[in-house]
Amino acid sequence: MLEQLIGHLEQQLSEHGDIVEVIMRTEQSLIAEEETHEVELLFAENEEAVQAGKPTATIHVFPLEKGLYEVEVEVTYDCQKEKRDPQKLLAAGQQIVAEMTLVEKTRYLEPGKAVEKLAVLAFHFIVEMPSDEEQAHYQKLLGKWAADTGKLLLL
């Protein structure tokens, strides 16, 4: 089922940019003796946009229980190179997806000397694999999500 959801996400995203990397992770807990899975997609306008340092979206897909998945989207902006205001990015992002959060990341080589400043806009939603009669609603949800993610890359 996870592969089917990833296929649907890829199909919807392809209308708004390119998936430039797909990573599947499986982790085995040594304490709880359980296995977890995650699929991570790196999405951008195109391959050249990644090389140019333009915004990228990292999309995490986590199975929660049979047929239920969490999809988390993190769109990263380089605020140092592009001279962007993270608060303005958040306000613009919330116009697209109301439940948006902002994380600011700054790396320093020494006190007062920032070498990297990133803003990460994030949101998530839950997807349930549909029955045959829910298929149209499911496709509409994924289509809106893909369009919103594409718009966020263009901020």
Side-chain angles (χ1 to χ4, degrees), residues 64-89:
L64 298 175
E65 55 188 62
K66 186 172 174 80
L68 198 63
Y69 299 89
E70 179 177 3
V71 178
E72 180 183 40
V73 179
E74 299 175 325
V75 183
T76 304
Y77 304 87
D78 186 339
C79 292
Q80 180 135 351
K81 188 168 141 183
E82 298 287 325
K83 304 295 185 219
R84 296 175 182 252
D85 179 354
Q87 294 302 318
K88 288 182 181 176
L89 279 172

Side-chain angles (χ1 to χ4, degrees), residues 30-88:
L30 298 175
I31 298 171
E33 294 186 25
E34 63 183 34
E35 188 174 270
T36 59
H37 302 278
E38 171 191 355
V39 175
E40 183 179 290
L41 307 169
L42 182 61
F43 178 68
E45 281 183 74
N46 52 47
E47 185 80 35
E48 294 78 33
V50 175
Q51 303 304 324
K54 292 193 174 193
T56 59
T58 304
I59 300 154
H60 305 271
V61 181
F62 306 95
L64 298 175
E65 55 188 62
K66 186 172 174 80
L68 198 63
Y69 299 89
E70 179 177 3
V71 178
E72 180 183 40
V73 179
E74 299 175 325
V75 183
T76 304
Y77 304 87
D78 186 339
C79 292
Q80 180 135 351
K81 188 168 141 183
E82 298 287 325
K83 304 295 185 219
R84 296 175 182 252
D85 179 354
Q87 294 302 318
K88 288 182 181 176

Side-chain angles (χ1 to χ4, degrees), residues 2 8 13 15-16 18-19 32 38 40 68 89 95 112 153:
L2 181 61
H8 291 150
L13 285 169
E15 297 178 24
H16 305 282
D18 294 335
I19 294 173
E38 171 191 355
E40 183 179 290
L68 198 63
L89 279 172
Q95 295 297 313
L153 290 177

Side-chain angles (χ1 to χ4, degrees), residues 122-138:
F123 68 98
H124 70 100
F125 60 97
I126 305 296
V127 174
E128 185 171 2
M129 293 305 286
S131 62
D132 290 340
E133 53 273 353
E134 298 170 325
Q135 197 64 242
H137 174 71
Y138 170 76

Side-chain angles (χ1 to χ4, degrees), residues 19-36:
I19 294 173
V20 294
E21 187 172 22
V22 178
I23 299 171
M24 177 148 186
R25 289 191 178 90
T26 301
E27 294 181 4
Q28 180 72 41
S29 171
L30 298 175
I31 298 171
E33 294 186 25
E34 63 183 34
E35 188 174 270
T36 59

